[in-house]
Amino acid sequence: MIFDLHSHTRFSDGSLLPAALIQRALENRVDVLSITDHDTVDAYRNLPQDLAGLELVCGIEYSTQWKNTGIHVLGLNIDPESDATEAGVRFQTGARMQRALRIGENLEKRGIEGAYAGAASLANGSYIGRPHFAQHVINIGKAKDMNAAFKNYLGDGKAGDVRQHWAELAQVIQWIRDANGIAVLAHPLKYKLTRTKLKKLLVDFIGLGGEGMEVVSGQQTPQHTSGMVQVCVEMNLLASCGSDFHRPGQRWAELGSFAPLPPRVTPVWERF
Ligand code: AMP
Ligand code: MN
Ligand code: MN
Ligand code: MN
């Protein structure tokens, strides 16, 4: 069985609508999929009638921070209709709006003209993410591609990396628990923390009610996987896996395309 418990649609910064995402998951032999859009569950209100045998687990990817690091927390198997999810989405949508204005101001100061208006016109409706700003930076010729735009303007510590608006980690975990979900630390390797720091983050995360971590996120080296397995076992966490699919054409993040979880860890789906 292939469980892909991390993916995005056009309701956040992915390119596919739910129906096309589900179609692609089936083509890639995924059995169980979670759509985990950033700070929204709108995809679950826009599903096709017929899932053609695919099992869906409702999820979300909340943005927050720990100390000075921006981190992402997955809520898996949440109730999308719960008051807690509704409160979480409402808060984070407001935060995203406020943040977008601030990112726009910061980028203007760095010489990116029309940053907010440009990102807003690239975005769909209320959802504006850093990739929209990055695309605007590219469109006005200030970066050659997404990587360069993030490296110089939107990535860690840059003008467009604004995180003070997000809900705190404790709040995010509480929203997930109150929605009967399991809080899972997303892609731990992406934060570039030392092993010691990562364990400190996980101690805090567990103290606040977090229960799992992504051991496999897209295509990663076997060394990275065994490192994450070790941390997962040591911290006594549930293990999750997912592609973090956003769009076709990114081979390292293709639906269903990643190493299986090794038998040493307890898969998070045993608790679904
Ligand atoms: P946001 O949710 O608005 O903070 O935007 C974060 C999103 O930007 C991530 O979920 C990725 O999809 C995307 N992203 C982050 N870093 C990069 C990068 N270096 N290149 C391309 N996309 C990135
Ligand atoms: Mn994203
Ligand atoms: Mn993420
Ligand atoms: Mn993601």
Side-chain angles (χ1 to χ4, degrees):
M1 291 260 287
I2 300 182
F3 289 75
D4 188 334
L5 301 178
H6 190 153
S7 66
H8 297 272
T9 71
R10 210 186 286 174
F11 289 98
S12 65
D13 59 359
S15 72
L16 302 182
L17 285 170
L21 184 80
I22 286 164
Q23 182 59 40
R24 195 177 181 91
L26 286 163
E27 284 164 11
N28 290 1
R29 316 186 77 86
V30 172
D31 298 287
V32 181
L33 177 74
S34 186
I35 299 172
T36 52
D37 276 315
H38 299 287
D39 306 296
T40 176
V41 288
D42 281 349
Y44 293 94
R45 300 195 182 96
N46 292 274
L47 295 174
Q49 288 280 334
D50 184 5
L51 299 183
L54 185 74
E55 193 180 324
L56 263 191
V57 171
C58 184
I60 192 167
E61 182 174 16
Y62 281 122
S63 311
T64 181
Q65 59 175 333
W66 175 76
K67 299 191 191 291
N68 216 16
T69 304
I71 65 166
H72 287 169
V73 177
L74 297 173
L76 295 181
N77 208 27
I78 57 166
D79 174 359
E81 308 293 345
S82 59
D83 292 348
T85 302
E86 202 196 299
V89 168
R90 198 183 324 110
F91 184 94
Q92 296 286 80
T93 302
R96 194 170 274 283
M97 233 26 245
Q98 293 298 314
R99 183 188 75 143
L101 293 167
R102 175 63 63 84
I103 293 175
E105 290 167 12
N106 289 358
L107 290 181
E108 291 279 348
K109 287 186 203 143
R110 289 282 321 277
I112 305 298
E113 283 168 28
Y116 178 79
S121 86
L122 291 164
N124 47 48
S126 63
Y127 186 94
I128 305 181
R130 282 183 285 166
H132 300 111
F133 284 97
Q135 189 59 51
H136 176 75
V137 171
I138 296 166
N139 291 353
I140 64 166
K142 300 266 183 168
K144 68 173 198 308
D145 56 22
M146 275 280 161
N147 254 339
F150 267 88
K151 184 160 175 275
N152 295 318
Y153 294 100
L154 292 143
D156 262 4
K158 300 297 172 186
D161 177 29
V162 177
R163 5 183 162 90
Q164 68 266 35
H165 300 85
W166 300 130
E168 289 185 9
L169 178 58
Q171 173 67 84
V172 161
I173 293 171
Q174 198 58 49
W175 282 327
I176 294 167
R177 293 180 67 95
D178 288 347
N180 293 318
I182 300 175
V184 170
L185 181 69
H187 43 60
L189 288 162
K190 271 207 186 153
Y191 314 126
K192 305 251 152 55
L193 299 171
T194 61
R195 196 50 57 84
T196 312
K197 263 250 171 105
L198 174 58
K199 286 185 197 162
K200 281 200 170 124
L201 159 58
L202 287 169
V203 167
D204 289 354
F205 181 73
I206 293 163
L208 294 169
E211 298 179 272
M213 65 179 270
E214 280 193 310
V215 165
V216 175
S217 175
Q219 300 212 349
Q220 59 189 38
T221 64
Q223 288 86 337
H224 278 147
T225 302
S226 64
M228 290 304 99
V229 166
Q230 215 179 325
V231 172
C232 186
V233 169
E234 198 176 315
M235 306 302 287
N236 201 18
L237 284 162
L238 298 165
S240 191
C241 57
S243 59
D244 205 1
F245 176 87
H246 281 74
R247 64 198 65 253
Q250 302 186 318
R251 276 169 297 111
W252 62 93
E254 181 53 75
L255 286 167
S257 176
F258 44 82
L261 286 181
R264 285 180 64 202
V265 295
T266 307
V268 64
W269 52 83
E270 288 192 2
R271 291 271 310 279
F272 289 168

